[in-house]
C-alpha cells in the first residue's frame, strides 16, 4: 500500500512544509512566503474555511476548493513553496502541487499564487488559477482513470490459465415472484443453495433490487436450465469473467479472480464514480491475491479542464495525462495435462482428497488438485499425521546410521509394547524375521518402532530436515513444511517413526520428500518461475542411503502394499494409514507418496491424501487413476 503524502481533503492531516513564519517580519518576501504557506497548509489540511478566509474573496474560493475536492475525490495534496517575487504591493509565489490520487499515480504540476497586500497583511488573490494554471472562470477539473489489462497467470508453457468465460447468475427479481417459498425450494434443489437463505436474501432486499443466488459457468447453467428457467421470479443475467479451465483447477495455488479483474470494482449507482478496492476486497486468493500488484500494473489518468455547467456538453481540454503501465505476467510450473489427470483422479473420491505433483530435482509444483469435498488450501497448508508414509524418512534415518542395510534381517512381530502400551500392525500381521526391505514393503509398524527407538533422539528430525521438512518456506502461497520433533522419547518417539505421535506433514511437503529421493538432490518448492528461492536448498541424505532406499520404495509397488500400481511403469512409493482422533476404533487418513520415472510426462513425484479414507488403499486407487490418466507426451 502506498503511503499517502499530505492529507485527504476534508480530513485533519499535516502539510509537508516548514513552520509558517510570523507576519510582519519587516521583510516583504518573508511575509508573502508565510502567507502562501499558511494558505496552502490550510487547503492541504482540508480546512477550506481557513484557507478561503486568507483570500480576497472567501466565498468564491470556498466554492472553488469544494469543487476541486469533488473533482479529485479522496485525493491528498502536498504543496511545496518555491520562488517568491514582490513588487509594489503585489506578489507571486511559485509552488508545486502533488496530488496523491486514489488508485492512480501522483499528479504533479507547477502553479503560481498571486497575492496582494491588504490592511492586515498579504491575501491570496481569489482566482481559478490558484488551483491549476489552466483553470478559468466557469470551469472545473475532470479526472479520468485508465486501467491496464490485468496480466495473465500462465502455465509452464506460458499460456494464460485464466481466460474470459461466460457465466450466468441465477437470481431473483422480487417483483416477479408469485410464491417465494416454492421458488426458493426449486432453486435450492437445482443449485444446492439453502432455500432459507434464498428466502432471507429476497425478503431483506430493497424493492426492485436483483437478488443473486449463484453464478455458474454456462455449461453448468445449461445442466440445470430445465429446472429453473420457467420459475416465476427467477432471472438469469449473463456476464464474462476471467476463470481458470475448471472451477477447482489448481485452486490451492492459483486462487481465483473475483467479479472484477482489476482494481476498479464497479460504478456506483449513486454518482457513477468508480469504486476501488484492495486484493482481498476483490475476492482474490492464491497467486491472484499474493501477486496482485505485479499482475495489475499501474493505473494511468487523464485530467481535463471542462465547463462547470454540464449542460454545455464541453469535451474539455486535456491538461495532463499519465499512461497506465501494464502488469507483468506470472508464469507457474503448472502442466495442464498433469493437472487435468490429477483433477480426474481426485474426482473419483467422495471423501476430501488432495493430490500434489512436483518435478524431482527442481521442486516445481506441476499440479495441485483437491476435489469438491475438500478444502483446497489444505493441499498446501494442511497439517496431517503422515502415518506409514513417514517410513520414507524413518528408513532414511535408519539406513544413515550404518547399522542397517536394505537386506539386514529385522523382526516384524504382530505387536510391540513400549512403556506398557501395545502397538500393532494392521490386523496384527506377523512376518517373523525378514529383510529390512520386506518390512518396508509390507509396512511393518513394529519393525520401525523397535528400530526407531534405537535411533538417537534427533536422528528422525535430522533425516526429515535433509528433505526440507520443517523449513520456513517463503512462497507467494503459504506451504506447511511439516514438523518432526527432535526431543521425543518413549512411546512418542516410537510413534513418530511410523508417522504418528507428534509428526505432521502437508501433502505438498510429502511430495517434495519423494522428489528428493527420486532426484538425489532435494529442492525447494517452486510456485512461480523467476521468483526468489523459497529457502535454502535442503542438504539431502547421503547418496548411499538413497541408493539403498530407492529399491525399497520400488518393492512397495512391485510386491508390497501398493502392488495395484505394478503395471503403471517405473513407480516407487510408500503407503500410509494415519490414525487420528478419539474414536474407537480410531479414524484414519489414507496416504500414498512416491514417484514415477520416465513416465509419459517425464519424471514426477507426488503425494495423495484421502482424508478419513481409513486405509492407504484408497490413496493407491487415486494414484492409479492419476497415472492412468496421464496422456502420452
Amino acid at each position: 500500500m502506498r503511503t499517502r503524502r499530505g492529507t485527504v481533503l476534508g480530513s485533519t492531516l499535516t502539510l509537508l512544509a516548514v513552520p509558517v513564519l510570523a507576519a510582519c517580519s519587516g521583510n516583504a518576501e518573508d511575509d508573502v512566503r508565510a502567507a502562501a504557506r499558511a494558505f496552502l497548509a490550510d487547503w492541504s489540511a482540508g480546512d477550506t474555511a481557513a484557507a478561503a478566509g486568507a483570500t480576497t474573496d472567501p466565498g468564491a474560493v470556498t466554492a472553488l476548493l469544494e469543487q476541486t475536492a469533488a473533482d479529485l475525490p479522496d485525493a491528498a495534496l502536498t504543496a511545496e513553496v518555491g520562488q517568491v517575487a514582490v513588487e509594489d504591493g503585489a506578489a507571486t509565489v511559485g509552488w508545486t502541487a502533488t496530488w496523491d490520487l486514489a488508485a492512480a499515480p501522483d499528479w504533479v504540476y507547477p502553479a503560481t499564487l498571486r497575492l496582494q497586500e491588504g490592511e492586515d497583511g498579504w491575501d491570496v488573490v481569489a482566482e481559478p488559477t490558484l488551483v491549476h494554471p489552466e483553470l478559468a472562470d466557469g470551469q472545473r477539473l475532470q479526472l479520468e482513470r485508465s486501467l491496464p489489462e490485468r496480466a495473465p497467470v500462465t502455465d509452464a508453457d506460458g499460456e494464460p490459465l485464466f481466460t474470459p468465460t461466460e457465466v450466468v447468475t441465477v437470481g431473483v427479481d422480487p417483483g416477479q415472484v408469485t410464491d417465494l417459498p416454492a421458488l426458493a425450494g426449486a432453486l435450492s434443489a437445482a443449485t444446492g443453495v439453502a432455500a432459507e437463505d434464498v428466502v432471507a436474501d429476497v425478503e431483506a432486499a430493497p424493492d426492485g433490487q436483483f437478488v443473486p443466488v449463484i453464478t455458474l459457468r454456462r455449461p453448468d447453467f445449461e445442466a440445470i436450465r430445465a429446472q429453473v428457467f420457467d420459475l416465476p421470479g427467477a432471472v438469469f443475467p449473463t456476464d464474462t469473467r476471467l476463470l481458470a479451465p475448471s472451477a477447482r483447477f489448481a485452486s490451492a495455488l492459483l486462487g481465483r479472480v473475483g467479479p472484477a479483474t482489476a482494481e476498479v470494482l464497479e460504478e456506483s449507482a449513486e454518482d457513477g464514480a468508480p469504486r476501488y478496492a484492495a486484493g482481498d476486497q476483490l475476492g482474490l486468493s492464491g497467486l491472484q491475491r499474493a501477486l496482485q500488484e505485479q499482475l495489475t500494473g499501474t493505473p494511468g489518468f487523464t485530467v481535463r479542464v471542462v465547463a462547470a455547467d454540464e449542460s454545455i456538453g464541453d469535451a474539455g481540454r486535456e491538461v495532463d495525462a499519465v499512461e497506465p503501465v501494464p502488469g507483468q505476467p506470472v508464469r507457474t510450473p503448472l502442466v495442464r495435462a498433469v493437472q487435468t489427470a490429477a483433477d480426474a483422479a481426485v474426482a473419483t473420491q467422495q471423501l476430501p482428497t488432495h493430490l500434489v505433483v512436483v518435478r524431482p530435482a527442481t521442486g516445481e509444483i506441476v499440479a495441485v488438485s483437491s476435489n469438491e469435498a475438500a478444502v483446497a488450501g489444505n493441499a498446501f497448508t494442511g497439517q496431517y499425521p503422515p502415518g506409514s508414509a513417514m517410513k520414507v524418512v524413518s528408513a532414511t534415518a535408519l539406513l544413515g546410521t550404518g547399522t542397517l542395510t536394505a537386506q539386514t534381517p529385522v523382526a516384524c512381530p504382530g505387536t510391540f509394547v513400549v512403556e506398557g502400551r501395545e502397538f500393532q500392525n494392521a490386523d496384527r500381521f506377523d512376518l517373523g524375521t525378514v529383510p529390512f526391505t520386506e518390512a518396508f514393503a509390507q509396512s511393518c509398524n513394529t519393525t520401525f518402532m523397535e528400530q526407531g527407538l534405537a535411533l538417537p533422539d534427533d536422528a528422525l528430525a535430522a533425516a526429515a530436515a535433509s528433505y526440507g521438512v520443517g523449513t520456513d518456506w517463503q512462497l507467494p502461497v503459504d506451504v506447511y513444511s511439516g514438523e518432526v520433533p527432535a526431543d521425543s522419547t518413549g512411546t512418542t518417539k516410537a510413534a513418530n517413526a511410523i508417522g504418528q505421535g507428534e509428526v505432521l506433514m502437508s501433502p505438498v511437503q510429502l511430495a517434495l520428500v519423494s522428489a528428493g529421493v527420486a532426484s538425489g538432490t532435494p529442492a525447494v518448492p517452486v510456485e512461480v518461475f523467476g521468483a526468489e528461492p523459497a529457502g535454502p536448498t535442503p542438504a539431502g541424505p547421503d547418496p548411499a542411503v538413497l541408493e539403498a532406499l530407492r529399491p525399497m520404495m520400488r518393492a512397495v509397488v512391485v510386491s508390497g502394499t501398493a502392488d495395484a500400481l505394478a503395471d503403471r511403469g517405473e513407480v516407487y512409493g510408500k503407503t500410509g494409514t494415519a490414525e487420528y482422533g478419539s474414536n474407537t476404533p480410531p479414524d484414519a487418513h489414507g496416504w500414498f507418496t512416491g514417484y514415477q520415472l520416465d513416465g509419459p510426462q517425464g519424471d514426477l513425484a507426488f503425494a495423495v491424501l484421502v482424508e478419513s479414507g481409513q486405509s492407504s488403499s484408497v490413496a493407491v486407487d487415486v494414484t492409479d487413476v492419476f497415472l492412468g490418466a496421464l496422456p502420452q507426451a
Side-chain angles (χ1 to χ4, degrees), residues 390-405:
M390 181 66 182
K391 289 172 185 172
V392 174
V393 176
S394 301
T396 300
L398 291 167
L399 293 168
T401 65
T403 59
L404 274 180
T405 71

Side-chain angles (χ1 to χ4, degrees), residues 327-351:
Q328 294 298 311
V330 171
R331 181 170 166 242
T332 74
L334 293 172
V335 176
R336 289 177 189 254
V338 179
Q339 180 66 46
T340 300
D343 289 344
V346 300
T348 62
Q349 289 293 319
Q350 293 184 336
L351 293 168

Side-chain angles (χ1 to χ4, degrees), residues 217-511:
R217 296 167 187 253
R218 170 62 74 175
D220 295 331
F221 170 72
E222 294 300 331
I224 66 167
R225 171 191 281 270
Q227 296 174 258
V228 299
F229 198 75
D230 293 327
L231 296 173
V235 290
F236 314 98
T238 61
D239 196 2
T240 299
R241 297 187 182 178
L242 283 179
L243 298 178
S246 63
R248 299 182 70 82
F249 189 94
S251 57
L253 176 62
L254 297 179
R256 60 190 177 92
V257 180
T261 58
E263 284 187 309
V264 62
L265 280 176
E266 61 186 24
E267 291 188 353
S268 167
E270 296 180 0
D271 57 14
R275 295 191 296 112
Y276 296 84
D280 54 347
Q281 295 172 295
L282 285 166
L284 305 178
S285 57
L287 290 179
Q288 292 285 355
R289 178 176 180 178
L291 302 179
Q292 162 76 342
E293 290 187 10
Q294 176 180 339
L295 292 164
T296 299
T298 304
F301 66 85
T302 300
V303 180
R304 292 182 175 85
V305 170
V306 299
D309 184 353
E310 295 183 2
S311 65
I312 296 176
D314 181 16
R317 182 179 74 261
E318 182 179 307
V319 296
D320 209 344
V322 173
E323 292 297 318
V325 178
Q328 294 298 311
V330 171
R331 181 170 166 242
T332 74
L334 293 172
V335 176
R336 289 177 189 254
V338 179
Q339 180 66 46
T340 300
D343 289 344
V346 300
T348 62
Q349 289 293 319
Q350 293 184 336
L351 293 168
T353 302
H354 311 274
L355 197 166
V356 181
V357 189
V358 303
R359 288 282 186 209
T362 67
E364 296 164 8
I365 298 171
V366 298
V368 52
S369 186
S370 302
N371 65 0
E372 290 285 348
V375 176
N378 285 345
F380 278 5
T381 60
Q383 302 181 21
Y384 303 93
S388 290
M390 181 66 182
K391 289 172 185 172
V392 174
V393 176
S394 301
T396 300
L398 291 167
L399 293 168
T401 65
T403 59
L404 274 180
T405 71
Q407 298 307 315
T408 300
V410 292
C412 176
T415 62
F416 184 70
V417 177
V418 182
E419 295 180 341
R421 179 182 173 185
E422 182 182 87
F423 295 88
Q424 62 187 41
N425 294 326
D427 298 325
R428 294 176 177 260
F429 74 80
D430 187 335
L431 300 181
T433 299
V434 295
F436 186 39
T437 292
E438 181 70 6
F440 183 88
Q442 301 302 329
S443 201
C444 184
N445 290 336
T446 57
T447 298
F448 276 82
M449 298 183 85
E450 180 179 6
Q451 298 296 328
L453 283 173
L455 287 170
D457 288 346
D458 63 348
L460 192 61
S466 73
Y467 291 108
V469 176
T471 303
D472 182 17
W473 301 124
Q474 300 297 306
L475 291 158
V477 179
D478 287 343
V479 161
Y480 175 66
S481 67
E483 181 178 356
V484 180
D487 56 359
S488 298
T489 60
T491 56
T492 301
K493 181 179 179 181
N496 288 349
I498 62 170
Q500 300 281 176
E502 298 175 338
V503 174
L504 294 171
M505 206 79 71
S506 65
V508 67
Q509 186 61 54
L510 200 55

Side-chain angles (χ1 to χ4, degrees), residues 441-442 553-569 571-575 592 616-617 620-621 624:
Q442 301 302 329
M553 293 181 69
R554 180 66 176 144
V556 171
V557 175
V558 173
S559 60
T561 52
D563 59 0
L565 303 176
D567 62 350
R568 291 300 183 191
V571 178
Y572 302 67
K574 185 66 192 78
T575 55
F592 181 78
S616 63
S617 62
V620 172
D621 290 343
D624 187 43

Side-chain angles (χ1 to χ4, degrees), residues 71-84:
D71 294 340
L72 306 176
D74 297 322
L77 173 64
T78 298
E80 182 179 351
V81 173
Q83 188 172 358
V84 176

